[in-house]
Amino acid sequence: MSTLVQYFRDIDMHDLPQVGGKNASLGEMYQKLTPLGIQVPDGFATTSEAYWQFIEENQLRDPLSELLSQLDRQQFSNLEEIGKQIRATFLEAKLPTEVQQAIREGYTYLTEHYGEDISLAVRSSATAEDLPHASFAGQLESYLNIRGFDNLLNACHKCYASLFTNRAIKYREDNKFDHVQVALSVGVQLMVRSDQGCSGVNFTLDPDSGFDQVVLITSVWGLGENIVQGTVNPDEFYVFKPTLKRDKQAIISRRMGSKEQTMVYASNGSGVFNQPTPADRRDQYTLTDEEVTTLAKWSVAIEEHYQRPMDIEWAKDGNTGQLYIVQARPETVHSTKEDLLEIKTYQLPKAGKALCQGYGLGNKITAGKARILHSPTEAHKLQEGEVLVTTRTTPDWDPILKKASGIITDQGGRTSHAAIVAREVGAVAVIGAGNATQVIQDGQEVTVSCAEGETGYVYEGILDWKESVIQLPDLPLPETQVMFILGDPEQAFRLATYPNHGVGLMRLEFIINNAIQIHPMALCQFEKVTDAAAREKIEQLTHHYPNRADYFVEKLAEAVAQIVAAFYPKDVIVRMSDFKSNEYANLIGGHDFEPPEENPMLGFRGASRYYHPKYQAGFELECKAMKRVRETMGLENVKLMIPFCRSLTEAEKVIALMEQFGLIRGVNGLELYMMTEIPSNVILAQEFSEYFDGFSIGSNDLTQLVLGVDRDSDLLSDLFSANDPAVKKMIREVITVANRTNTKIGLCGQAPSDDPAFAQFLVEAGINSISFNPDALVAGIKNILQAEKTQEATDEAMQVTHD
């Protein structure tokens, strides 16, 4: 057997010094993984010995050393010239006869197995005896769609020359590698006809957050070089590993890319080129769910084989429909990070001229150009990173708010829509500033500071501020469960790494606004939508779905699943939709299904909607989505919560309806919770405990209804306080009843993070859990830890007194 060529069937990772990391990995996969059903195209690799024979027979060592000695290693002013001369010298040399013969033997082997008309991928892989871990990724050349033996020899020759591309020379200089000690192996692999199919790249973790329980699959039509080069926007799929292993439907997120270009083989010989993707193919997914699942399972098997996160290239042959793994390499960003988890804190050493002030949210500082918008129709004026200034926001502003680095409103309180969404998208916000739209000029540079307590300030100009870091591992979790209030799936993977016991309140409203946009009844009863523009928009959004209602179910299920998977197996308590009628009306097609109400806050909302003929079909879609998450997708850590349940009769009706829709309390571990936000919920807590497994105190609505204060009223904001004795008495009462009836009880709200005394009150009362917005988590944990320490000291003192 020739020592100048090795076949994939004979190569594994022990051969890395001879064939380089890329080819050693291909051989390892072909040897070890094809028996598991993972398809890897066959091939062979020239060895480092073949490269050194090329160098010696052409007497290139001295000319190479001479040219490299002339390299300007300070400014690299002559890098291009030196590189060009070395490559020319290599290309003028001849491939040794023995090397050509060894490559011919490999080529003959492939044609005998796959036919004379094969196409080959020819890739460079750097190697050296003393540099086994040097990857040289992206520094060398690959040649695709190589046909015929002569073209193969030419491609191998060019691969040798590519060891001295300008970028490869600079890479080795930067990393202190000796140029003349590095050899090159050429991998020759059967080319999959993905020009007629599709291809892509998989990561066995989320590349943005490092969350390692998912596989990210990206895919484009044609050859995968368009993904590698970043030329097109691919389809994306997230697959959840734990439920994948249980053979559940584990795709928790999918996003269709625009896929503008398709890279195909040149029809007149070797090479590839890009052509525009036909409109109908741009508007469909490149992979079926079954193919996504197969690729995910293969990726997990590859990760388990290598015992580390992997970056994997794959291709689908458009003629045969077969999937193949064509490359695998270690993921090198998150898998090598050793940074401790941390949260930043902010301080403004010197305040400037304050333009206005209001409720401060976000515990951060930001700065940028102010952009005054009067309605969502002006969204195009807001550039990424600018500070949005407006009178007030409603749910139809949600997609816009994510672009803003800061949010300033004239109106609204700490629990208004703008405040809630600002927390969910992680923005810095000053809410209820009164006259912000008058005192701030459009385009003016401002600094928004919410790091100075409950009051947020807007300062003139861009100021300097200090940032410091809290290491999260230094922050222990208290006995009282600390949970998140969360609605944005895009934050879930990152937030799941923070200290927490799960999600105590996941609102569906954010998802319906952003991922779905359409009123559910407009999907169930499309014929009743009267607005032509709304009808057109609904048809545009749902045209992939034969049944429009399936659009709502799939979008809601996958957005919820992304959050639930991030925190799996911890509890995620999903609150069924709690829009008010005026908010529902703002969804596409919503005006045809919502009644006009004088006071929507106390109107057609929560449980009363679910069994009413005006919304029951919409509630059925919500239930179908949750059933899919729990049963089809296998995420049983979802608990479901009913908001604004006014009476025991309503509890009976809603629970009976959920059973009718396949969500039965106690079956498959399903637990039902109730928002405790109406005085009747407290007064009849013992009776409600027979219907529900848990209560969640909604302190904002409870405060509003106990005190008779509109929570959004600027005029009455001084009266609105969860610290009011009447409110605290109600909270203590329901906690007492919950503990007596073994009903889980938590609280969702800002007060325990803003006010240590309120946290102390909750701990003393016996609360099981407290849920915080992400920006308030650290302050909340600290307040609870201090409260538990105080409570423990009090208990010990009482014990001593008793003794």
Side-chain angles (χ1 to χ4, degrees):
M1 185 177 69
S2 172
T3 58
L4 302 177
V5 159
Q6 284 187 277
Y7 294 89
F8 285 179
R9 64 174 184 263
D10 301 318
I11 297 172
D12 60 25
M13 292 308 292
H14 294 100
D15 298 297
L16 190 147
Q18 286 77 47
V19 298
K22 189 180 297 182
N23 293 329
S25 180
L26 283 169
E28 176 89 8
M29 287 194 298
Y30 189 83
Q31 258 200 62
K32 308 288 175 60
L33 299 180
T34 50
L36 303 180
I38 297 173
Q39 298 195 104
V40 180
D42 202 357
F44 63 91
T46 65
T47 63
S48 56
E49 185 175 333
Y51 174 81
W52 292 126
Q53 189 167 323
F54 168 74
I55 293 293
E56 296 306 326
E57 284 202 13
N58 289 283
Q59 299 180 351
L60 294 176
R61 198 176 290 270
D62 288 343
L64 179 58
S65 297
E66 173 61 25
L67 285 168
L68 288 168
S69 70
Q70 299 171 28
L71 182 65
D72 172 9
R73 288 178 164 80
Q74 299 301 316
Q75 303 299 323
F76 293 94
S77 58
N78 62 348
L79 173 61
E80 186 171 347
E81 178 187 340
I82 297 295
K84 185 177 181 181
Q85 288 186 49
I86 295 174
R87 293 192 297 276
T89 302
F90 269 52
L91 291 173
E92 287 167 5
K94 303 295 183 184
L95 286 178
T97 304
E98 282 187 58
V99 173
Q100 292 189 41
Q101 181 58 35
I103 294 172
R104 180 176 287 281
E105 289 173 8
Y107 179 73
T108 302
Y109 164 79
L110 290 176
T111 56
E112 286 175 350
H113 282 77
Y114 299 108
E116 290 290 334
D117 191 32
I118 59 172
S119 178
L120 301 170
V122 182
R123 306 179 191 275
S124 307
S125 184
T127 182
E129 290 283 355
D130 56 342
L131 297 174
H133 303 295
S135 68
F136 304 98
Q139 310 305 315
L140 312 175
E141 298 293 350
S142 295
Y143 300 94
L144 306 177
N145 188 31
I146 302 303
R147 301 180 187 216
F149 178 67
D150 290 340
N151 286 328
L152 173 59
L153 282 183
N154 184 45
C156 291
H157 198 164
K158 288 195 289 186
C159 281
Y160 281 172
S162 81
L163 189 56
F164 289 90
T165 61
N166 300 341
R167 60 184 181 270
I169 295 170
K170 182 67 163 56
Y171 177 89
R172 288 192 294 272
E173 287 290 329
D174 291 343
N175 290 280
K176 312 298 184 200
F177 295 150
D178 186 342
H179 298 281
V180 296
Q181 294 298 315
V182 178
L184 189 128
S185 165
V186 180
V188 180
Q189 186 178 29
L190 181 72
M191 187 102 184
V192 178
R193 289 305 304 264
S194 58
D195 63 318
Q196 301 295 318
C198 58
S199 51
V201 177
N202 301 350
F203 286 90
T204 60
L205 46 61
D206 173 43
D208 293 326
S209 66
F211 180 68
D212 65 0
Q213 293 302 300
V214 288
V215 177
L216 171 63
I217 295 172
T218 61
S219 178
V220 294
W221 295 117
L223 276 64
E225 294 298 301
N226 276 333
I227 289 182
V228 177
Q229 297 167 7
T231 311
V232 300
N233 181 15
D235 294 339
E236 291 185 356
F237 306 86
Y238 278 104
V239 184
F240 188 49
K241 294 176 187 175
T243 49
L244 179 72
K245 291 178 179 177
R246 290 163 48 203
D247 288 322
K248 295 290 187 177
Q249 199 296 90
I251 302 170
I252 59 171
S253 173
R254 73 189 76 214
R255 182 175 299 162
M256 184 177 291
S258 50
K259 308 180 292 287
E260 300 95 337
Q261 300 286 318
T262 299
M263 186 176 285
V264 297
Y265 294 169
S267 57
N268 58 350
S270 297
V272 298
F273 70 98
N274 259 327
Q275 63 185 21
T277 306
D280 61 330
R281 280 166 74 83
R282 289 181 59 179
D283 199 33
Q284 61 180 278
Y285 284 110
T286 43
L287 293 168
T288 65
D289 285 3
E290 291 76 17
E291 289 168 336
V292 170
T293 300
T294 296
L295 286 170
K297 287 182 174 179
W298 286 2
S299 298
V300 170
I302 292 168
E303 178 181 55
E304 289 176 347
H305 177 75
Y306 286 101
Q307 291 293 297
R308 62 182 301 170
M310 298 295 288
D311 170 356
I312 299 163
E313 293 182 28
W314 60 270
K316 177 184 175 183
D317 191 303
N319 295 331
T320 66
Q322 296 294 308
L323 292 166
Y324 294 89
I325 299 297
V326 295
Q327 277 199 62
R329 63 181 72 85
E331 191 278 338
T332 56
V333 178
H334 286 283
S335 58
T336 56
K337 273 189 176 178
E338 296 181 359
D339 295 346
L340 294 173
L341 298 173
E342 57 190 37
I343 291 179
K344 285 185 177 178
T345 60
Y346 297 74
Q347 183 182 9
L348 194 66
K350 187 177 181 182
K353 178 185 176 183
L355 298 173
C356 55
Q357 66 185 63
Y359 296 105
L361 305 171
N363 296 329
K364 292 187 276 190
I365 301 174
T366 191
K369 285 186 178 179
R371 190 62 59 205
I372 298 177
L373 302 185
H374 300 287
S375 82
T377 60
E378 298 180 318
H380 61 281
K381 296 180 181 178
L382 182 71
Q383 301 303 307
E384 193 82 33
E386 290 185 338
V387 177
L388 169 65
V389 184
T390 190
T391 304
R392 62 190 293 269
T393 69
T394 55
D396 47 346
W397 284 82
D398 286 3
I400 307 164
L401 300 182
K402 299 184 79 170
K403 288 175 63 178
S405 63
I407 300 165
I408 306 168
T409 67
D410 290 341
Q411 302 173 6
R414 187 169 286 278
T415 60
S416 65
H417 171 265
I420 290 169
V421 176
R423 294 191 191 102
E424 288 179 341
V425 301
V428 184
V430 176
I431 305 299
N435 59 347
T437 52
Q438 278 76 51
V439 298
I440 299 173
Q441 302 299 311
D442 188 57
Q444 180 180 8
E445 290 185 331
V446 296
T447 298
V448 185
S449 174
C450 296
E452 303 169 63
E454 291 189 14
T455 302
Y457 297 89
V458 181
Y459 296 107
E460 188 176 66
I462 295 181
L463 307 178
D464 292 325
W465 65 85
K466 293 181 179 178
E467 299 179 10
S468 55
V469 170
I470 297 173
Q471 302 296 348
L472 291 180
D474 296 338
L475 198 63
L477 279 170
E479 288 185 27
T480 306
Q481 289 197 330
V482 175
M483 306 180 85
F484 276 112
I485 300 172
L486 196 57
D488 184 0
E490 293 181 12
Q491 293 193 62
F493 293 159
R494 175 180 59 86
L495 294 175
T497 62
Y498 289 17
N500 72 87
H501 292 101
V503 178
L505 173 60
M506 180 186 167
R507 301 186 181 96
L508 293 189
E509 296 83 43
F510 186 94
I511 292 168
I512 293 171
N513 256 321
N514 289 275
I516 297 172
Q517 305 176 45
I518 304 170
H519 194 292
M521 293 303 297
L523 295 168
C524 297
Q525 300 174 3
F526 180 69
E527 71 281 359
K528 293 185 179 180
V529 179
T530 57
D531 182 75
R535 291 178 67 88
E536 182 180 349
K537 185 66 175 176
I538 292 169
E539 288 182 332
Q540 176 190 335
L541 288 171
T542 63
H543 74 279
H544 291 291
Y545 299 82
N547 180 348
R548 292 187 184 91
D550 290 342
Y551 164 84
F552 186 96
V553 174
E554 180 177 284
K555 291 284 189 182
L556 185 61
E558 290 187 356
V560 169
Q562 192 166 336
I563 294 178
V564 177
F567 291 88
Y568 185 89
K570 300 172 186 173
D571 286 355
V572 176
I573 301 171
V574 177
R575 187 181 71 187
M576 307 303 274
S577 68
D578 191 28
F579 283 121
K580 289 73 177 175
S581 55
N582 58 328
E583 295 170 344
Y584 261 120
N586 285 327
L587 294 170
I588 298 168
H591 288 286
D592 290 303
F593 300 96
E594 293 300 326
E597 293 189 286
E598 290 297 325
N599 191 347
M601 187 75 77
L602 298 180
F604 190 42
R605 64 175 287 201
S608 60
R609 295 185 71 93
Y610 301 159
Y611 57 84
H612 197 284
K614 282 184 174 290
Y615 190 75
Q616 184 172 315
F619 183 62
E620 182 176 3
L621 298 187
E622 293 184 35
C623 290
K624 282 183 176 179
M626 295 307 102
K627 184 176 172 66
R628 177 180 293 194
V629 172
R630 284 184 48 81
E631 297 179 13
T632 308
M633 302 172 86
L635 295 164
E636 298 97 347
N637 54 320
V638 167
K639 319 295 182 188
L640 300 178
M641 183 152 65
I642 306 302
F644 228 75
C645 186
R646 293 172 167 97
S647 69
L648 298 174
T649 301
E650 282 202 328
E652 288 179 0
K653 287 182 177 180
V654 171
I655 291 171
L657 195 59
M658 293 178 79
E659 288 184 2
Q660 183 182 321
F661 297 148
L663 293 171
I664 304 172
R665 181 186 177 199
V667 173
N668 197 25
L670 176 61
E671 293 184 2
L672 298 183
Y673 282 60
M674 179 187 74
M675 286 294 294
T676 303
E677 51 196 343
I678 308 170
S680 63
N681 300 151
V682 179
I683 295 166
L684 297 178
Q686 180 150 337
E687 290 81 354
F688 274 114
S689 71
E690 297 177 15
Y691 296 93
F692 296 101
D693 302 285
F695 297 150
S696 179
I697 301 167
S699 59
N700 294 327
D701 268 329
L702 187 61
T703 300
Q704 172 177 248
L705 294 173
V706 169
L707 298 179
V709 175
D710 182 349
R711 57 191 265 193
D712 286 334
S713 171
D714 294 334
L715 293 173
L716 302 177
S717 60
D718 289 344
L719 294 173
F720 186 91
S721 172
N723 261 310
D724 187 277
V727 178
K728 291 174 78 171
K729 187 171 184 178
M730 295 290 271
I731 292 173
R732 186 185 293 278
E733 172 63 20
V734 75
I735 292 173
T736 300
V737 174
N739 287 333
R740 188 172 66 237
T741 57
N742 292 317
T743 307
K744 299 171 189 173
I745 186 156
L747 181 139
C748 303
Q750 197 75 5
S753 61
D754 289 343
D755 183 1
F758 196 81
Q760 182 74 47
F761 158 70
L762 292 174
V763 170
E764 289 175 357
I767 198 89
N768 300 142
S769 67
I770 303 175
S771 300
F772 300 97
N773 288 292
D775 66 293
L777 182 74
V778 171
I781 290 175
K782 288 182 174 180
N783 287 346
I784 295 173
L785 286 169
Q786 182 57 49
E788 288 182 349
K789 186 176 179 181
T790 302
Q791 181 66 28
E792 186 179 345
T794 302
D795 291 345
E796 288 176 357
M798 290 180 66
Q799 184 64 39
V800 170
T801 303
H802 179 74
D803 292 343

